[in-house]
Amino acid sequence: LDVRFADALSSEEAPVAPRKVSRMRQLRRGTIRLNLEIDLHGLTRDEAIEALASFISAAGRRGQQAVLVITGKGVHSAGEPVLQGAVADWLAQEGKEWVAEFVAAPENLGGAGAFVVFLKVLNRES
């Protein structure tokens, strides 16, 4: 038997990078389900952030993969929408312990008036 091994790939054979898994694709296919949601309509900024923090941490502890956060579009706000920006800021900063990523919800789930929040998988020590 004549067997030869090479340590390097030829320039023609580029290493195959793993494909990034699209969480939104998984959501559309039903692999990830939105079993919990919170509706922040009618709350002040501070009330909404307090409710959001409690909701997200509880969902993370329950092992949820994704949740729906409804902010509304802010059409009844004086000036510009308040909750959308405040919620997005909290999810990106204070919520980063729990939040893997978040995106505007698809139209059938609220569109610009809601966020789909994908939660981090936390290691549970028994």
Side-chain angles (χ1 to χ4, degrees), residues 2-3 8 15 26 44 51 53 58 62 64 83 89 97 104 108 117 120-121:
D2 186 12
V3 179
Q26 290 178 323
T44 67
R62 288 181 58 182
Q64 295 294 308
L83 291 184
D89 288 345
E97 175 185 352
N108 65 326
V117 180
K120 290 181 179 177
V121 176

Side-chain angles (χ1 to χ4, degrees), residues 32-113:
I32 293 178
R33 295 176 190 249
L34 292 173
N35 295 327
L36 295 176
E37 67 180 52
I38 186 170
D39 188 342
L40 302 174
H41 278 102
L43 300 179
T44 67
R45 181 191 180 287
D46 292 338
E47 291 169 340
I49 295 303
E50 185 177 326
L52 177 65
S54 177
F55 173 75
I56 293 291
S57 64
R61 284 192 300 274
R62 288 181 58 182
Q64 295 294 308
Q65 291 181 304
V67 295
L68 183 65
V69 177
I70 302 166
T71 61
K73 295 179 182 175
V75 293
H76 298 294
S77 296
E80 61 184 40
V82 175
L83 291 184
Q84 287 179 342
V87 166
D89 288 345
W90 187 91
L91 292 169
Q93 295 171 16
E94 290 87 3
K96 64 185 172 186
E97 175 185 352
W98 302 100
V99 177
E101 68 179 294
F102 63 97
V103 295
E107 283 301 316
N108 65 326
L109 294 173

